[in-house]
Amino acid sequence: MNRRVLPTWGLLVAFVTVGIALACRDVAAEDTCTSAQCHAKLLTGSTVHPIAESCETCHESTGTPHPKKGQKTFKLTKEPPDLCFGCHEAFGTKSKVVHYPVTAGQCTTCHDPHSSNEPKLLAQPMKDLCGTCHSDHVSFKVVHGPVSAGTCTACHTPHEGDNKARLEKEPPELCFGCHADMQDVTKKANVHPALAAGCPSCHNPHGSDFPKLLSAEGQDLCFTCHPQIQEIVSAASVPHPALSFGEGCVSCHSPHASDNPNMLLKTETETCLGCHDTIITKAMTALHTPIKNGKCTGCHMPHGSQNATLLVKPFPTDAYVPYSDNEYALCFSCHKRDLLAYPQTSYATNFRDGERNLHYLHVNKPKGRSCRLCHNIHGSSQPKLIAESVPFGKWNLPLKFVKTETGGGCSPGCHKPQYYDRNTPGKKPEGTKRAVEAP
């Protein structure tokens, strides 16, 4: 290149620079700064920061000309957040919990100081903006509605607050803002302690991989607070089908609150009969005392058991059982074993002919008769839960039980008609034709 050309180019550059400087001096700053050649895009958002329309309010010149290659010729009149507090009321010192960008004075981390297409001059859509720092709060299979809608400030104050995580209110009051129906639920007699401790005890407030924003799936969530139930269920050789095949714990229990003990959805009897609807019939005028008192759990374990039909203690499944002092442990949880311990008694049982113990006669032998052959365990149309029929092989033989003030009788077909009377042995009830005979 001809070296004599260089001074000419230098003069040209100097001339242009001086020209721009003179132009900047004579033209209003807001017209110059946002001209097509410079910061044309700063104020193009749908929402413009009102103060940004006058650049000198926040920026001041530190030298001319502007621009100057490799140097800054403007600076902020104050550093954030003091600059922002010139117009906005100061915050970040009045509350217990302050958002970190506020503490660090990083207003422009979240807000564009000039213009934005987002409300509140946010630098990005709220969900994306918050997700920049809190990425673990926005990506789930099941997303909480406010998170999905990108309205994080529905629950959190963006700058500072007195509640943990800058929540607008403490749970459950915060949650009641949307889930208003739950407010009435909590007025019930029994409130789940987990709910009293706050909804996040069971629900992830942002999202979850499980339905209903639960922090774990099904009964595994319940077991985190009820490990003793988990032990019963895990060890049970006979699990309750409601846990195995139903909806889990909520098949029977309300997860939030209930007017029934043990958080049951209905009374204990109604809960059980909801599935076991053939156990009690309208014809049953006499109910087993536990059922009459609404306590199926007097005999059955509700979650799992080592015994057939979820019984709390063993009960033989066979019709004929060699008797021992350990048999019928379930029945003798309530009834005294004396009623079949003595061949002769004047007090242990009313099922006797004179002092001849007829319970002993039926049960206490190598081929003892099971209680359930003569008694319907849940209820009966006969007194003393006497069954209407007794199973015998493939037949059901009618018992034809008759009761009197001091005795009674039956004619089941498995033995001849038999009658008993505590005062007059062998006395037959009125209307019968035969006296008592030894089986």
Side-chain angles (χ1 to χ4, degrees), residues 412-435:
C414 52
H415 59 63
K416 297 177 181 179
Q418 302 290 333
Y419 311 110
Y420 67 96
D421 192 278
R422 292 183 290 279
N423 297 332
T424 306
K427 179 183 177 181
K428 57 184 178 181
E430 292 184 16
T432 58
K433 297 181 180 180
R434 300 186 57 140

Side-chain angles (χ1 to χ4, degrees), residues 108-125:
T108 54
T109 298
C110 299
H111 301 278
D112 190 307
H114 301 105
S115 71
S116 171
N117 290 322
E118 300 298 324
K120 306 293 185 182
L121 292 171
L122 292 178
Q124 301 178 68

Side-chain angles (χ1 to χ4, degrees), residues 295-328:
K295 288 290 182 182
C296 303
T297 51
C299 297
H300 299 277
M301 295 283 287
H303 301 107
S305 175
Q306 301 300 325
N307 304 306
T309 62
L310 297 172
L311 292 174
V312 297
K313 290 184 178 180
F315 183 86
T317 57
D318 294 335
Y320 301 98
V321 181
Y323 178 74
S324 73
D325 290 340
N326 296 321
E327 287 294 349
Y328 308 108

Side-chain angles (χ1 to χ4, degrees), residues 49 109 224 382 399:
H49 196 180
T109 298
T224 58
Q382 303 289 334
L399 279 178

Side-chain angles (χ1 to χ4, degrees), residues 339-340 342-345 349-365 369 374 407-410 418-422 426 436-439:
L339 68 84
L340 52 71
Y342 314 110
Q344 299 289 323
T345 183
T349 178
N350 283 334
F351 186 40
R352 67 181 192 271
D353 191 39
E355 294 190 356
R356 188 184 184 200
N357 187 342
L358 301 180
H359 271 126
Y360 180 95
L361 179 70
H362 284 81
V363 180
N364 201 328
K365 58 175 62 177
R369 274 66 171 169
C374 297
C410 63
Q418 302 290 333
Y419 311 110
Y420 67 96
D421 192 278
R422 292 183 290 279
V436 68
E437 299 179 26

Side-chain angles (χ1 to χ4, degrees), residues 78-89:
K78 291 182 180 180
E79 290 298 320
D82 294 332
L83 176 63
C84 303
F85 293 158
C87 296
H88 301 281
E89 183 179 353

Side-chain angles (χ1 to χ4, degrees), residues 31-372:
D31 294 333
T32 303
C33 298
T34 58
S35 63
Q37 295 89 344
C38 300
H39 308 290
K41 295 182 180 181
L42 284 183
L43 304 182
T44 58
S46 58
T47 302
V48 176
H49 196 180
I51 203 168
E53 294 179 354
S54 178
C55 308
E56 291 90 347
T57 305
C58 298
H59 302 275
E60 63 182 3
S61 174
T62 58
T64 57
H66 177 77
K68 184 181 291 185
K69 185 176 182 181
Q71 296 183 34
K72 292 183 177 180
T73 56
F74 274 84
K75 70 174 184 178
L76 294 174
T77 56
K78 291 182 180 180
E79 290 298 320
D82 294 332
L83 176 63
C84 303
F85 293 158
C87 296
H88 301 281
E89 183 179 353
F91 50 79
T93 59
K94 301 176 182 178
S95 304
K96 296 178 182 178
V97 185
V98 181
H99 199 186
Y100 174 76
V102 175
T103 304
Q106 298 174 346
C107 305
T108 54
T109 298
C110 299
H111 301 278
D112 190 307
H114 301 105
S115 71
S116 171
N117 290 322
E118 300 298 324
K120 306 293 185 182
L121 292 171
L122 292 178
Q124 301 178 68
M126 187 178 291
K127 182 178 180 181
D128 298 331
L129 178 64
C130 298
T132 302
C133 295
H134 306 287
S135 58
D136 58 327
H137 285 34
V138 294
S139 299
F140 305 95
K141 290 181 180 178
V142 182
V143 182
H144 195 188
V147 177
S148 179
T151 54
C152 306
T153 52
C155 299
H156 301 274
T157 59
H159 299 116
E160 62 181 348
D162 288 329
N163 300 316
K164 183 179 179 181
R166 303 185 322 284
L167 292 173
E168 290 279 1
K169 295 179 181 179
E170 288 285 1
E173 284 73 19
L174 175 66
C175 305
F176 292 158
C178 294
H179 305 282
D181 57 317
M182 290 304 302
Q183 198 160 9
D184 291 332
V185 171
T186 60
K187 296 176 182 177
K188 294 188 176 183
N190 301 301
V191 178
H192 196 179
L195 178 59
C199 308
S201 298
C202 298
H203 302 276
N204 187 317
H206 299 104
S208 174
D209 290 335
F210 308 109
K212 300 184 184 301
L213 304 177
L214 293 173
S215 53
E217 189 168 20
Q219 61 194 36
D220 291 337
L221 175 64
C222 303
F223 290 159
T224 58
C225 291
H226 302 284
Q228 73 281 11
I229 302 299
Q230 183 178 21
E231 291 179 11
I232 292 173
V233 172
S234 299
S237 57
V238 182
H240 193 176
L243 278 174
S244 303
F245 306 109
E247 295 182 359
C249 306
V250 295
S251 297
C252 300
H253 301 276
S254 168
H256 298 114
S258 173
D259 287 327
N260 302 303
N262 300 315
M263 305 291 297
L264 289 173
L265 295 170
K266 299 178 181 179
T267 66
E268 185 171 306
T269 304
E270 289 174 325
T271 299
C272 298
L273 295 181
C275 293
H276 307 286
D277 53 1
T278 61
I279 294 296
I280 304 299
T281 67
K282 293 181 178 179
M284 293 180 177
T285 55
L287 296 177
H288 196 184
T289 300
I291 293 180
K292 186 177 180 180
N293 294 337
K295 288 290 182 182
C296 303
T297 51
C299 297
H300 299 277
M301 295 283 287
H303 301 107
S305 175
Q306 301 300 325
N307 304 306
T309 62
L310 297 172
L311 292 174
V312 297
K313 290 184 178 180
F315 183 86
T317 57
D318 294 335
Y320 301 98
V321 181
Y323 178 74
S324 73
D325 290 340
N326 296 321
E327 287 294 349
Y328 308 108
L330 176 69
C331 300
F332 293 119
S333 298
C334 298
H335 301 284
K336 292 182 179 179
R337 197 173 283 271
D338 285 1
L339 68 84
L340 52 71
Y342 314 110
Q344 299 289 323
T345 183
S346 61
Y347 74 92
T349 178
N350 283 334
F351 186 40
R352 67 181 192 271
D353 191 39
E355 294 190 356
R356 188 184 184 200
N357 187 342
L358 301 180
H359 271 126
Y360 180 95
L361 179 70
H362 284 81
V363 180
N364 201 328
K365 58 175 62 177
K367 190 181 179 182
R369 274 66 171 169
S370 170
C371 308
R372 67 186 181 88

